[in-house]
Amino acid sequence: MIWILALTTVVMFIPIAISLVVMPFLTRETVSFGISVSEEMYHSPQLRRMRKQYAWISGILYTLLLTACLFTLLQTDEGGQSYALSSYILMMVIGSAAINLAFYLRMKKVKASFPPNTIKSGKIAVDTRFRSHKITISNRWFALHAAIALTSAALALAYYDEFPATLAMKFGSHGEITHSAAKSLQAVLAPNLTQLALIALFMFLNRMIHKSKQQINPDHPELSARQNAVFRLRWSMFNAVACMMIVLLLSFIQLNMRFQLQSGIVMLVSLLFPSLIIIMAFVLSLTTGQGGRLINRTSPGGGTAAVDDDRYWKLGFVYYNPNDPALFVEKRMGIGWTVNFARPAAWMVTAGILIAVLAAIFFGK
């Protein structure tokens, strides 16, 4: 079974690594490594070189890390494989943070070196009709997800007596059972409780996509508004599809508790679904860009800079602006949304997400 683990590692982590490598090319053209710039600056030769350097450095690092991880996976035992995967993920996180921080600090110096006439004052554009468009799918779609979870729970309760006395909970890379638990109501219904916790989390994320602050390019506001609406709708749909795949996977795991399917099939399905979700996110990132800038892309605009609010972006990625009533805003680095940590509700949201994730992990044990 080790080849399945190695293959899945490649399928899952290569898209993640490529997404990190090309991230500076996917951000808005009014942001460079977490610093606000004009489009003229963004397309300058100096910043082009910086993006290429970022891609080369991060590409080499992630290639070396993946090669070392695969070599270890193929050469070591079960314990070593878990250690190799954990170490690989940790090193990717540390490496990515270090590279982003280095380029953020360098970008601050580069911006200060540009002639003042190239750093134009930013303008804010607002589309008052923006939220009247279809920008996300309804949370009512998640009723289908909940129906599957509740149906699975009802079937598990109806056939509870047919579950074996010992439930297989975790499998090793060779398909052997590495963790099992005595049959109990909590153990049998654990996948359903995890499903419900995750459905609540995905519904919240869908709401966040809808409520987040609009960010319109003043050089071409109508096109920018359309791009942003499509961007949100696509990610909202992805959100629902990813949630459905996870719900189905958990129902499959519960099914395996009852029938004890072949370990190879269990492992293949368990690794296939997360891989498909990552690949979908990868394709979506490359085809939309942050804020939808790659959708129906046009030539650069008139050189207007984003509003210079760099002082509110700590290290380029933590937003803390007491003067901004918005709770959800677009990320400066990466694709997606983040919260305004100056709003007390942001801390409650962060705590709620952590609780949902911890609940999913707890019930999934």
Side-chain angles (χ1 to χ4, degrees):
M1 299 293 178
I2 186 61
W3 67 271
I4 297 180
L5 181 62
L7 177 62
T8 307
T9 301
V10 171
V11 172
M12 289 179 67
F13 287 101
I14 283 185
I16 293 175
I18 294 176
S19 298
L20 294 173
V21 168
V22 302
M23 196 57 69
F25 300 90
L26 303 179
T27 59
R28 286 180 177 271
E29 291 166 303
T30 50
V31 176
S32 179
F33 301 109
I35 299 293
S36 61
V37 296
S38 67
E39 290 190 24
E40 180 182 357
M41 292 172 63
Y42 181 87
H43 292 284
S44 67
Q46 188 173 6
L47 296 197
R48 287 176 186 269
R49 282 196 299 274
M50 281 185 65
R51 288 193 290 274
K52 289 180 181 177
Q53 289 171 357
Y54 178 99
W56 274 107
I57 293 172
S58 53
I60 291 172
L61 174 64
Y62 301 139
T63 300
L64 292 176
L65 289 176
L66 180 60
T67 302
C69 176
L70 291 175
F71 178 79
T72 307
L73 286 177
L74 297 173
Q75 297 295 323
T76 190
D77 57 12
E78 179 74 26
Q81 289 159 4
S82 299
Y83 178 76
L85 274 176
S86 302
S87 301
Y88 170 57
I89 294 171
L90 179 62
M91 292 305 295
M92 279 193 72
V93 172
I94 294 175
S96 175
I99 293 172
N100 280 313
L101 178 60
F103 274 82
Y104 165 76
L105 296 174
R106 181 179 167 189
M107 186 61 224
K108 287 183 72 174
K109 294 180 180 178
V110 169
K111 182 178 179 179
S113 70
F114 269 74
N117 62 343
T118 61
I119 308 174
K120 302 176 182 178
S121 60
K123 295 185 293 186
I124 296 177
V126 176
D127 183 352
T128 56
R129 301 166 300 172
F130 181 70
R131 297 190 191 283
S132 64
H133 301 306
K134 181 73 172 176
I135 57 176
T136 58
I137 63 171
S138 169
N139 263 351
R140 287 194 290 269
W141 279 98
F142 289 91
L144 180 60
H145 304 65
I148 293 174
L150 294 175
T151 301
S152 298
L155 290 173
L157 289 174
Y159 295 95
Y160 180 80
D161 292 340
E162 298 182 16
F163 278 76
T166 301
L167 304 175
M169 306 297 285
K170 186 177 179 182
F171 295 86
S173 59
H174 297 286
E176 75 281 11
I177 298 174
T178 58
H179 175 65
S180 58
K183 185 174 76 171
S184 67
L185 204 57
Q186 178 182 340
V188 170
L189 295 180
N192 310 118
L193 296 172
T194 306
Q195 287 171 324
L196 295 176
L198 290 176
I199 290 170
L201 177 60
F202 276 93
M203 289 177 68
F204 167 77
L205 294 176
N206 192 51
R207 191 67 177 165
M208 183 176 77
I209 294 173
H210 183 83
K211 286 291 186 180
S212 65
K213 181 180 179 181
Q214 63 169 294
Q215 194 170 329
I216 306 298
N217 189 325
D219 289 331
H220 33 81
E222 293 186 0
L223 173 62
S224 178
R226 287 199 302 273
Q227 289 174 323
N228 197 263
V230 174
F231 169 73
R232 294 184 192 221
L233 184 59
R234 289 184 184 179
W235 278 102
S236 174
M237 295 170 68
F238 164 80
N239 195 44
V241 172
C243 183
M244 175 59 77
M245 295 179 72
I246 293 174
V247 167
L248 292 175
L249 176 60
L250 288 166
S251 290
F252 173 80
I253 290 173
Q254 189 176 51
L255 187 71
N256 178 62
M257 289 180 179
R258 162 66 182 84
F259 294 101
Q260 297 186 342
L261 305 172
Q262 290 185 8
S263 58
I265 296 175
V266 175
M267 175 171 287
L268 189 60
V269 173
S270 300
L271 296 176
L272 178 64
F273 276 56
S275 300
L276 288 176
I277 292 173
I278 290 174
I279 291 172
M280 285 193 301
F282 172 68
V283 172
L284 200 51
S285 299
L286 295 187
T287 54
T288 61
Q290 176 64 310
R293 58 159 290 207
L294 298 180
I295 300 170
N296 297 325
R297 192 178 181 185
T298 61
S299 57
T304 302
V307 174
D308 188 359
D309 57 353
D310 290 347
R311 63 187 180 283
Y312 298 123
W313 286 92
K314 313 305 179 187
L315 299 179
F317 68 94
V318 177
Y319 188 55
Y320 187 93
N321 185 356
N323 301 319
D324 188 350
L327 177 59
F328 306 115
V329 296
E330 286 186 10
K331 289 180 180 177
R332 276 285 182 94
M333 294 183 179
I335 293 180
W337 296 267
T338 185
V339 295
N340 178 5
F341 282 99
R343 311 292 300 170
W347 295 97
M348 297 173 63
V349 166
T350 304
I353 292 175
L354 287 175
I355 290 173
V357 172
L358 291 175
I361 294 173
F362 174 78
F363 291 126
K365 283 184 177 181

